[in-house]
C-alpha cells in the first residue's frame, strides 16, 4: 500500500497515520518528524530547517525533496509507505511522481483530511506530544493520563502566530496539489472533524 496523507496542520494526520501504519504494516514517513529529529540532532540541515519551522514556513523544496529521496532509498519502503506531510508543494508532488515512475510503482490512494480553519487553531494550541511514545494528546479534547502529564512537550511551532502562517502556507502552497491527485482519480476526501475514533472509521470507510 502506497498512500499519502494531505491536510492542514492539526487536521489529525499524525494521529491517524500512526493508526493506519499499524493496520497496513508500512513505514510512516513524516517529513515534519524527520525535520524535528534533525533539529534535535543539531545537524546543519536541522539548523536550516529550524529557522523555517519556527516561523511556520515551509522548508525549501530542494532540502525537503533530498530528505525524502534519502528515506526512499531505505529498503523498508519497497513494500509500501504512508507519506504524512509530503508532498506539500507542486514541485514536491512532481518530484515524487518522478521517483515513483523511476521505481515503476504507483500510488494507491491520497487521503485528504478536511478540517475548517476555525477549528485548527484551537486544536493546535492545545496539542501536546509524549516524547517517549510519540502519542499525541489535546489538553481538552484528548487529555493525557495524569502520570505522564509532566513529560509532555509543546511543539515550538504550535503557537498561534506560527499556526496562522502554517495555515496560510497550506492554502497557498499545498492546496494546489489537490486537483493534481483528483485528476488522477486517487483522491479520497475524509471529514476530519470528530473524535479520533470517528475519523479512523471515516478513513476506513473511504479506503473500502
Ligand atoms: P508537520 O509536523 O508536518 O506539521 O511539519 C512541521 C514543519 O516542518 C512544517 O511547518 C514545515 O516547516 C516543515 N515541513 C514538514 N514537511 C514539509 C514539507 N513537505 N515541505 C516543506 N516543509 C515541511
Amino acid at each position: 500500500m502506497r498512500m499519502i496523507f494531505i491536510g492542514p496542520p492539526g487536521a489529525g494526520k499524525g494521529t491517524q497515520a500512526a493508526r493506519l501504519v499499524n493496520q497496513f504494516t508500512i513505514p510512516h514517513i513524516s517529513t515534519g518528524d524527520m525535520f524535528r529529529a534533525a533539529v534535535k540532532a543539531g545537524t546543519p540541515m536541522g539548523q536550516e530547517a529550524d529557522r523555517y519551522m519556527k516561523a511556520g514556513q515551509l522548508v525549501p523544496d530542494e532540502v525537503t525533496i533530498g530528505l525524502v529521496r534519502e528515506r526512499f532509498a531505505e529498503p523498508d519502503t519497497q513494500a509500501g509507505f504512508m507519506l504524512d506531510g509530503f508532498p506539500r508543494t507542486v514541485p514536491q508532488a512532481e518530484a515524487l511522481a518522478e521517483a515513483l515512475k523511476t521505481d515503476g510503482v504507483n500510488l494507491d490512494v491520497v487521503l485528504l483530511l478536511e478540517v475548517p480553519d476555525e477549528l485548527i487553531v484551537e486544536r493546535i494550541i492545545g496539542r501536546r506530544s509524549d516524547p517517549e511514545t510519540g502519542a499525541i494528546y489535546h489538553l481538552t479534547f484528548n487529555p493525557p493520563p495524569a502520570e505522564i502529564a509532566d513529560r509532555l512537550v509543546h511543539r515550538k511551532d504550535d503557537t498561534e502566530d506560527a499556526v496562522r502562517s502554517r495555515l496560510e502556507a497550506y492554502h497557498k502552497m499545498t492546496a494546489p496539489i489537490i486537483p493534481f491527485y483528483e485528476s488522477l482519480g486517487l483522491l479520497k476526501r475524509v471529514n476530519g472533524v470528530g473524535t479520533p475514533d470517528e475519523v479512523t472509521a471515516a478513513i476506513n470507510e473511504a479506503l473500502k
Side-chain angles (χ1 to χ4, degrees), residues 31-32 36 53 57-59 64 85-86 88 92 155 166:
T31 41
R36 281 184 287 278
M53 292 168 81
Q57 293 167 359
L58 294 183
V59 177
T64 310
F86 182 95
R88 250 178 164 105
Q92 291 180 17
R155 274 171 53 170
R166 286 159 69 200

Side-chain angles (χ1 to χ4, degrees), residues 49-174:
D50 196 33
R51 293 205 307 272
Y52 294 95
M53 292 168 81
K54 271 193 207 135
Q57 293 167 359
L58 294 183
V59 177
D61 281 338
E62 1 16 304
V63 178
T64 310
I65 291 168
L67 182 78
V68 173
R69 281 224 172 92
E70 274 177 31
R71 183 63 185 83
F72 267 31
E74 304 280 330
D76 64 340
T77 58
Q78 298 286 315
F81 51 76
M82 147 71 64
L83 276 174
D84 161 13
F86 182 95
R88 250 178 164 105
T89 64
V90 170
Q92 291 180 17
E94 288 168 351
L96 176 66
E98 196 60 35
L100 295 177
K101 200 169 147 203
T102 307
D103 287 350
V105 296
N106 290 313
L107 284 173
D108 293 302
V109 65
V110 178
L111 287 171
L112 171 63
L113 211 46
E114 298 183 299
V115 177
D117 284 5
E118 313 84 78
L119 259 184
I120 295 288
V121 177
E122 200 181 348
R123 277 196 184 182
I124 285 200
I125 290 170
R127 175 159 75 174
R128 298 291 182 276
S129 63
D130 181 349
E132 284 186 24
T133 64
I136 304 166
Y137 298 94
H138 187 283
L139 297 179
T140 315
F141 306 138
N142 180 24
E147 61 275 18
I148 65 161
D150 288 347
R151 69 172 191 235
L152 297 184
V153 293
H154 188 199
R155 274 171 53 170
K156 272 189 281 190
D157 59 346
D158 277 355
T159 62
E160 186 157 352
D161 279 354
V163 171
R164 297 208 184 275
S165 303
R166 286 159 69 200
L167 270 175
E168 201 184 310
Y170 176 76
H171 290 298
K172 214 161 109 190
M173 311 291 289
T174 307

